[in-house]
Amino acid sequence: MRTALVLSAGGMFGAYQAGAWKAIARVCRPDLVVGASAGALNGWAIAGGCTPEDLISRWLDPRAGLLKFRNAGVLERGAREIFEAFQPCIEFQPIVTEWPSCRPRAVPWREVTWRHLAASCSIPGVTQLRRIDGKLLADGGIVRALPLWTVAQRGDIGRVIAVSLLDHPPSRMLRAVMGAFRSLARVPQLAPGIDVVMIAPGEPLGSLRDAVVWNRENAVRWIEKGEMDAQRALEIRYTSSIAPAAAHT
């Protein structure tokens, strides 16, 4: 059974995904990785063979380009750095949103550039949007923070491990904005036969400010929580039925 790892948008909360990856990597090597916004950066690294320890260290290093979302220039350098540091050895799809139509789409694996990674993190009104191949592209999590719809369009995936960061938006304003964008676009739903393991914090990880401003204490806490939540979800569901992960090289 082929497995997809789907990573949601979430800004600085992306550190939670690094912790979750530590637990997931012990039991499973995904066949497909899909990510939106922070999940796109994490996903590119994971698809490129990034160890959990390396991904965690990137979220704990205040100098890491992976952490900079508010400044367009720093975001660009961060996207370039993560793009050049890894080369996916399994299929990877970043999610971008065509602007202003709010049409989300997955970028084909072989077409991904650092500019697509930057575009997937480019929040309208906050950072500069990216024009690629004549289309203006924005943050991949605008319509759906967790892009499960990409798997719905495929017939070769039987299991999904999803790490969702914004099941509980940190502010009323963000809930309102996400709801407004969601009403503008219709996306397909998962087929009933696909087995889904959902890993999510269960409550807001922090404030809206926490989501956009890096803080080491927050990152440490989210990494630890991500690992614990993922381990619990996998153990409860079917750890014994998931193929063991290949050793990292």
Side-chain angles (χ1 to χ4, degrees):
M1 181 183 295
R2 285 170 57 82
T3 299
L5 175 63
V6 181
L7 305 173
S8 82
M12 296 301 115
F13 299 152
Y16 178 97
Q17 293 176 344
W21 174 233
K22 187 174 182 179
I24 295 167
R26 288 196 287 261
V27 297
C28 176
R29 179 181 178 86
D31 303 288
L32 165 69
V33 182
V34 178
S37 196
L41 299 180
N42 282 334
W44 177 267
I46 289 170
C50 183
T51 66
E53 293 73 23
D54 188 5
L55 191 59
I56 287 170
S57 70
R58 287 172 176 273
W59 281 101
L60 294 180
D61 182 354
R63 298 169 299 175
L66 185 63
L67 308 175
K68 310 299 184 181
F69 284 84
R70 294 179 301 159
N71 181 286
V74 178
L75 174 59
E76 177 176 309
R77 291 195 295 273
R80 283 178 179 269
E81 189 277 330
I82 201 75
F83 179 82
E84 293 171 359
F86 300 98
Q87 182 60 47
C89 50
I90 58 175
E91 186 178 357
F92 167 75
Q93 291 185 330
I95 307 303
V96 295
T97 302
E98 294 182 2
W99 189 261
S101 67
C102 290
R103 175 178 175 267
R105 66 179 175 90
V107 181
W109 180 24
R110 304 296 185 183
E111 298 177 14
V112 178
T113 68
W114 69 264
R115 297 175 68 220
H116 291 97
L117 297 184
S120 189
C121 300
S122 298
I123 304 171
V126 178
T127 54
Q128 177 185 352
L129 304 190
R130 305 280 161 171
R131 188 171 295 279
I132 303 175
D133 297 331
K135 295 186 179 296
L136 195 61
L137 302 180
D139 191 285
I142 289 175
V143 176
R144 288 287 190 278
L146 181 66
L148 286 175
W149 57 270
T150 57
V151 182
Q153 296 178 333
R154 302 173 61 111
D156 61 336
I157 298 297
R159 174 183 290 125
V160 174
I161 300 176
V163 187
S164 180
L165 304 174
L166 293 176
D167 282 6
H168 306 276
S171 71
R172 291 181 180 178
M173 181 182 72
L174 186 57
R175 285 195 295 272
V177 170
M178 291 174 66
F181 281 125
R182 188 173 298 166
S183 67
L184 295 176
R186 303 180 67 87
V187 295
Q189 301 300 308
L190 278 175
I194 298 179
D195 191 15
V196 180
V197 177
M198 185 66 68
I199 300 167
E203 59 185 11
L205 288 170
S207 67
L208 184 59
R209 183 178 188 279
D210 292 333
V212 297
V213 178
W214 181 83
N215 176 281
R216 183 181 175 85
E217 290 184 5
N218 284 342
V220 169
R221 177 166 54 87
W222 298 333
I223 288 166
E224 292 175 349
K225 182 166 178 54
E227 181 181 4
M228 288 190 299
D229 288 349
Q231 184 170 323
R232 184 181 305 112
L234 293 167
E235 286 178 348
I236 290 174
R237 194 62 174 271
Y238 44 63
T239 297
S240 61
S241 70
I242 298 180
H248 290 290
T249 57

